[in-house]
Amino acid sequence: MRNKILLMTAVLLCVFGTGTIHAATSQFEHKTDFILKDGTKAFYVENISDVPAMDYFLGYQFTILGVNTCSVNIKLQRMGLAGDYTTLSTKQFTGNWFDFSAQDKASIEPYHRYRILAEEHSENCASVHVKGRYGVEYFNFD
């Protein structure tokens, strides 16, 4: 009896459908590996309009090591017409962040220039090692 109910449910789901399924990409396209010694490091992202998509997200996934005695701020910013940058999102990381656990993303629009700015927030920072992925996620729904 239970098998008949499961078979009937499977047939009904196939006939009437289960809804729409959306597929999307979810990996940033640029890799980086650097030591933050001098205070700031910026990554620029341009020409995101080359890929037709429904939604664009600027973001990063970093592993941050050596931040035991200080903190690091990472900002997602958009460049304005006058050349100044507007901050879309700011996160502060203190301590070690393993396995790409330091992450953030913000919704953006095409035809703009963006940057990801990493800066030391404290004066007593030694060498901070940052590695991971950054860039734009493109969500293309099928």
Side-chain angles (χ1 to χ4, degrees):
M1 182 66 177
R2 192 172 85 180
N3 290 338
K4 289 182 181 181
I5 293 173
L6 290 175
L7 181 63
M8 178 90 95
T9 304
V11 169
L12 289 175
L13 286 175
C14 289
V15 170
F16 293 110
T18 58
T20 59
I21 297 173
H22 299 288
T25 61
S26 62
Q27 193 173 39
F28 300 117
E29 69 266 19
H30 302 289
K31 289 184 180 180
T32 186
D33 190 356
F34 65 93
I35 305 241
L36 187 63
K37 291 181 184 176
D38 59 351
T40 62
K41 175 77 173 176
F43 306 102
Y44 297 94
V45 179
E46 298 183 50
N47 296 329
I48 64 168
S49 62
D50 295 342
V51 177
M54 299 289 286
D55 290 318
Y56 300 91
F57 291 95
L58 175 70
Y60 58 85
Q61 292 177 325
F62 290 151
T63 298
I64 302 175
L65 302 172
V67 195
N68 297 330
T69 59
C70 63
S71 62
V72 173
N73 284 348
I74 301 179
K75 299 177 181 179
L76 303 175
Q77 298 180 325
R78 182 179 77 190
M79 186 171 122
L81 293 174
D84 56 334
Y85 283 92
T86 303
T87 301
L88 304 173
S89 176
T90 302
K91 283 206 172 180
Q92 184 175 12
F93 299 101
T94 304
N96 293 327
W97 291 75
F98 299 104
D99 298 328
F100 306 110
S101 60
Q103 53 187 310
D104 190 15
K105 69 178 169 180
S107 180
I108 59 173
E109 300 172 359
Y111 309 109
H112 290 279
R113 184 175 187 195
Y114 294 92
R115 78 174 175 184
I116 299 172
L117 180 69
E119 58 187 1
E120 296 174 352
H121 187 65
S122 306
E123 295 296 326
N124 54 354
C125 280
S127 59
V128 176
H129 183 220
V130 179
K131 68 177 182 176
R133 304 180 74 85
Y134 71 94
V136 176
E137 281 186 349
Y138 306 101
F139 283 96
N140 297 319
F141 296 113
D142 295 336

